[in-house]
Amino acid sequence: MSEGRSALKAVIENVERVVVGKREEIELSLTALLARGHVLLEDVPGVGKTMMVKAIARSVGAEFNRIQFTPDLLPSDVTGVSIFNQKSLEFEFRPGPIMGNIILADEINRTSPKTQSALLEALEENHVTVDGKTRALQDLFFVMATQNPVEYSGTYPLPEAQLDRFLLKLKMGYPSYEEELEILNRTAKHHPIDDLQAVLALEDIYLMHKEVHHVHVEDTIQQYILSVVTETRTHRDIHLGVSPRGTIALMKAAQAYAYVKERDYVIPDDVKYLAPFVLSHRLLLRSDIQMTEKSGETIIKEILQTLRVPLSKKEAVR
Amino acid sequence: MNTTHRTPRLFLLYMLAYLLLMEWLIPLPEVSKTAFVPVFMAGAAFFFLVVFLGFSWWMTLFLMTAGTLFSLHLIFLDSVFFSPAWWDVLIGNVTQNVHFIVNGQWHMLTDFFRSMLFFCLLAIMSYLIYFWIVQARRILFFFIFTVIYIAVMDTFLPYDGAQAIVRIFVLGFVLMALLQWDRLTLFFPEGRKKGMWLRWLLASAALLIIAAGVGIAAPKSAPQWPDPVPFLESQTGLGNENGYGANNVRKIGYGDDDERLGGGFEMDDSPVFVATGDSDGYFRGEAKNIYTGHGWVSDVPNDTAHESMLYAEEVKTEEKTIEIDMAQNRAYDFVFYPGSLKSVRIPGQEEADVQVGVHSGRANIVVNEASYEPAVYTVTYEEPQFSEDMLQASGSQDPVEITSHYLQLPDDLPTAIGELAEALTSDADNRYDKVRAIEEYFHGPDFVYDTVNIAVPSEEEDYVEQFLFETQRGYCDNFSTSMAVMLRTLDIPTRWVKGFTKGDSLEQNGDRQVQEVTNAHAHSWVEVYFPDVGWVPFEPTRGFGSHADYVNETNEAESDTQEEEEEEETEESTDTEQEEAAAASSNYTVWPYIVGGILLIGGLVLFYYRFRFLKAFLLVRFKQMNNAAAFTRAFHALLWLLEAAGYKRKQSETLREYAHRLDGDFNTTDMINLTIIYEKIHYGKQTNQADWPAVFSVWENMVNRINA
């Protein structure tokens, strides 16, 4: 197990050579990747979303595809299409970009709901249905979808129910002055992404997927997760709380994060740290609250500030 | 938590300020009637300690109130501390005085209430000075006022402040120097080096000592103005008689004239004689039988015998001898003896004859038919042991010669005395129980033993009446006369006896004790006649034990006997001690207070050093940290200790967040290291991989850091 974890460290360092000062986001992305989840990135263009995904893909030796969502994009443009082969007189399936390992789905709120649901089905079911035929996706299938929060005209916001297909919702944010200076220095001659070598093979990732399942989650941690989730269901600012799917997601994310942090057990800090990323997009706030500055993230943080962190009992160990 | 740490250094500063405040108290006995200044000082010290330890406000309030009440108790109250009667007195006094205040009758305020206000003032001062020293770090204002106060005291009142001003000078400037250091290092923290403070202290102290020395040694010009004190005294008519109450003060001692009793007296420790023997009874001088309303005279026939036959044949006695060595300038033509005199032997005067007054018991020495004043003599006497059964069984059929001499009362004796005696003895059905009831009454909380502020009855007033119903304050003469007179109203024959108490033990010479008896041991008591028993002595005076042996034959181990023994212990206390310790003058021993005080101080010390004790305890307790379970307990103990020290984990805080916060505060990484081990054990179920000795030392470091 320790081998895999030190390899992860190498991945993080590798990605950091390209993406400056985004260690948290890199770790979280890897967390989602290891938990077999997907990430929704909400940020303005040009802050390094593509670079990060590309760098991760290269570091793990995975196939990287990018889908630029536009209003006229069709579901088959995502999933692939069967074409009649004139030579063999048969329909031949041409796989779409979703058949890759690591996919950047850029600006998914720009495309029609029909295309969106094609993508979201893939996210949840890990397979796509084309021409009535179900086709499985790759074993390593990791989507990083981005949403532009600034422009609203001509967009199709994702339905709330579909948002919780994403394990985490992240924001990149602008780099600091020093970080941006560092970016300038690095990219002056040529882009560092071109030099990036794979430090892992896909098989390593499959192994890690299995290992993450064995990360220990103590009873008290589960209780803590449940207390957070339960609180969202009774909170007065929240119309609709976190579903059991969200509960599972929080635990899976905590396991994967503990693994990224080179531990084989989850601690309360993992849960506390991940809860805003895992839960905030799964909430439906009350309409009057939506008008205010209060976001799901701040409400989750408020809840965490009031909940008791359970310590294990003294008698737990003899 | 308060950010000011209670360091020993601050404590020193605060104590210096305390000494400065004490300079305000020191002149009080000289310029006013204030007594018990040491109690006020101790009270103030207690307040200072309480304020310094920084309890919560309600604890401070409670301790200060308790301290005030206890001090007031020491000074004024004679009931058992916190008994219902005690509360009655306290509350009654306070309501009465509040009433006076509301009505503007300020001059009526009692000493008790004024003392209470004074304690409140001291409590406020203790807080104010704490504020000056600890918060503001300034003392100049208080210092200047202290100097002005002493200067005024010295100039306009009879107080001599020459030494006080030197003490204040040194104290005040040392304080100012140290506070200045505190303020300087606030702005220039780099000066806060180790040992720097000590050097600063030594330098300023040395400077001050030199300055004070020069000041003392330098010639001083004479005062510009004449001393205003004599002028003020002559104008106000005060002063020449030592302020007040000098008119009736006399010296205590043994005299013949007892016709006018009353008035205060001064203690006189000049020795009268030294007795060597194994007696623990009083030394009898003589008895008197006629109460005049103001004192005692004697009108008995001058029949004499060769021994004093105080007790009947039936009384169990033991024959003993005692040697008495009179002091140089003391000479009496009669002898002092314990018990009942059998014979007297005077070295070198074999023909000496002793003539004992049958009624007075006065044992005159006659040599060659002339009275003789022996310097040394040996008395053989009978020491009685009275059986309580015998006394209770004794009838009331007194011989005529007894009733004719010992039941006299003045014609104009107030009837209230007899009524009181009747009321007190209504439950008793025999003479002995009646006598005991009266004796017990004088031991009650209403009466105060005092030798100074004692009234003298006017010509129209009865001495006993005044004591029983007005003053209730007095010394042996008041008590013994009152008891004798009260018993006579019940037709019980009594007489008034004077002599000396046992004295102070000088040394133990084998089984013979050497006792020094001084004028201060002069005493008077009561003898009551019991048919078939004789004259039995009783002791009504507060704080003096019975000097006769009363034996309860039916059950010697009963508490009654124990009381007797306790009383015998207090018997050794002399008048002088009585005056000083008001608390001890009651029947109750001081031990509960001493033990309570020690417990209280011990408790405060424990509380103040609780972390040290706790830490020491924990370090020993978890010395054997060699498995996960022990570590867990130690870690939880650490969390508990941290919480007690004010570093409470917020409930929403994870252990790691808490550990990071603490490590930030303590500037270490120990806590996070311990937390990681704890997490491994509890969230990871990995129990067997730590290097326990190393973990223990990390834990030990962390524990030691708390409150450091």
Side-chain angles (χ1 to χ4, degrees), chain B residues 116-132:
Chain B
M116 194 163 101
L117 293 181
F118 194 48
F119 274 112
C120 293
L121 180 71
L122 286 175
I124 294 168
M125 279 312 289
S126 67
Y127 186 76
L128 193 60
I129 289 176
Y130 182 78
F131 175 80
W132 276 332

Side-chain angles (χ1 to χ4, degrees), chain B residues 346-357:
Chain B
I346 300 167
Q349 294 288 342
E350 308 307 334
E351 308 89 78
D353 185 21
V354 59
Q355 296 180 349
V356 185

Side-chain angles (χ1 to χ4, degrees), chain B residues 338-506:
Chain B
S340 178
L341 182 99
K342 293 288 281 182
S343 65
V344 180
R345 199 171 55 78
I346 300 167
Q349 294 288 342
E350 308 307 334
E351 308 89 78
D353 185 21
V354 59
Q355 296 180 349
V356 185
V358 171
H359 288 285
S360 67
R362 176 169 161 142
N364 290 306
I365 302 297
V366 178
V367 176
N368 300 330
E369 308 216 341
S371 63
Y372 177 77
E373 298 174 345
V376 181
Y377 50 89
T378 306
V379 175
T380 307
Y381 66 97
E382 289 177 320
E383 192 177 270
Q385 211 179 41
F386 300 109
S387 147
E388 286 198 320
D389 288 345
M390 197 181 190
L391 290 170
Q392 276 164 339
S394 160
S396 54
Q397 302 303 313
D398 302 304
V400 180
E401 56 162 357
I402 296 293
T403 53
S404 62
H405 290 303
Y406 297 109
L407 284 175
Q408 168 274 342
L409 285 171
D411 297 335
D412 55 353
L413 187 78
T415 52
I417 298 172
E419 285 159 12
L420 177 65
E422 284 286 348
L424 290 174
T425 56
S426 57
D427 290 342
D429 53 5
N430 61 61
R431 182 172 287 184
Y432 177 70
D433 288 348
K434 285 180 184 179
V435 173
R436 276 294 195 197
I438 302 277
E439 187 190 48
E440 208 48 52
Y441 175 66
F442 288 106
H443 294 165
D446 293 344
F447 292 94
V448 178
Y449 184 91
D450 188 9
T451 59
V452 181
N453 296 313
I454 303 305
V456 185
S458 66
E459 205 57 51
E460 295 78 35
E461 224 171 350
D462 185 85
Y463 178 67
V464 172
E465 184 195 23
Q466 186 192 40
F467 175 65
L468 284 179
F469 303 111
E470 278 178 37
T471 60
Q472 300 193 324
R473 169 181 286 268
Y475 47 94
C476 51
D477 288 351
N478 298 81
F479 287 94
S480 55
T481 304
S482 299
M483 180 170 172
V485 169
M486 281 171 88
L487 287 172
R488 283 184 179 186
T489 64
L490 300 173
D491 289 330
I492 299 172
T494 58
R495 63 188 180 190
W496 182 75
V497 189
K498 53 185 192 151
F500 289 94
T501 60
K502 190 183 160 190
D504 294 328
S505 185
L506 285 184

Side-chain angles (χ1 to χ4, degrees), chain A residues 216 218 220-221 224 263-269 272 304-314 316-318, chain B residues 627-629 632-633 636 639 649-657 676 678-687:
Chain A
H216 180 75
E218 180 67 23
T220 49
I221 305 283
Y224 186 47
R263 263 185 279 108
D264 46 15
Y265 50 89
V266 178
I267 59 174
D269 300 77
K272 203 175 175 187
L304 291 172
Q305 283 310 309
T306 55
L307 280 184
R308 208 175 72 82
V309 177
L311 290 192
S312 71
K313 293 183 201 75
K314 261 181 261 188
V317 174
R318 281 279 161 216
Chain B
N627 59 53
T632 305
R633 283 195 295 275
H636 278 271
L639 290 182
R649 184 175 75 94
K650 291 186 208 112
Q651 66 161 8
S652 68
E653 224 170 8
T654 63
L655 277 177
R656 261 190 202 210
E657 287 165 339
I676 288 172
Y678 181 84
E679 285 173 350
K680 221 177 235 171
I681 293 169
H682 284 275
Y683 300 121
K685 296 286 179 218
Q686 298 159 15
T687 51

Side-chain angles (χ1 to χ4, degrees), chain B residues 210-397:
Chain B
I210 293 169
V214 170
I216 293 167
K220 285 174 265 304
S221 56
Q224 293 278 320
W225 301 322
D227 186 358
V229 176
F231 172 76
L232 287 174
E233 281 178 348
S234 65
Q235 285 296 302
T236 54
L238 286 173
N240 51 345
E241 285 291 322
N242 206 6
Y244 64 99
N247 43 347
N248 284 312
V249 174
R250 50 181 197 173
K251 286 216 168 181
I252 191 174
Y254 190 94
D256 276 336
D257 181 10
D258 304 303
E259 278 184 57
R260 285 304 294 249
L261 296 176
F265 57 79
E266 278 177 30
M267 281 298 152
D268 176 13
D269 281 332
S270 53
V272 179
F273 57 82
V274 172
T276 311
D278 55 357
S279 158
D280 56 359
Y282 289 178
F283 295 94
R284 201 174 189 285
E286 65 185 309
K288 295 197 172 180
N289 68 331
I290 301 291
Y291 174 65
T292 63
H294 294 101
W296 292 88
V297 292
S298 197
D299 77 335
V300 286
N302 283 328
D303 303 346
T304 59
H306 289 289
E307 54 185 273
S308 67
M309 290 159 293
L310 291 176
Y311 319 120
E313 298 272 313
E314 289 84 355
V315 177
K316 209 195 289 176
T317 57
E318 191 182 347
E319 193 164 294
K320 290 183 174 179
T321 60
I322 191 160
E323 190 186 300
I324 291 178
D325 190 347
M326 299 302 291
Q328 288 235 299
N329 50 351
R330 301 284 170 181
Y332 296 96
D333 60 357
F334 57 96
V335 298
F336 295 101
Y337 57 91
S340 178
L341 182 99
K342 293 288 281 182
S343 65
V344 180
R345 199 171 55 78
I346 300 167
Q349 294 288 342
E350 308 307 334
E351 308 89 78
D353 185 21
V354 59
Q355 296 180 349
V356 185
V358 171
H359 288 285
S360 67
R362 176 169 161 142
N364 290 306
I365 302 297
V366 178
V367 176
N368 300 330
E369 308 216 341
S371 63
Y372 177 77
E373 298 174 345
V376 181
Y377 50 89
T378 306
V379 175
T380 307
Y381 66 97
E382 289 177 320
E383 192 177 270
Q385 211 179 41
F386 300 109
S387 147
E388 286 198 320
D389 288 345
M390 197 181 190
L391 290 170
Q392 276 164 339
S394 160
S396 54
Q397 302 303 313

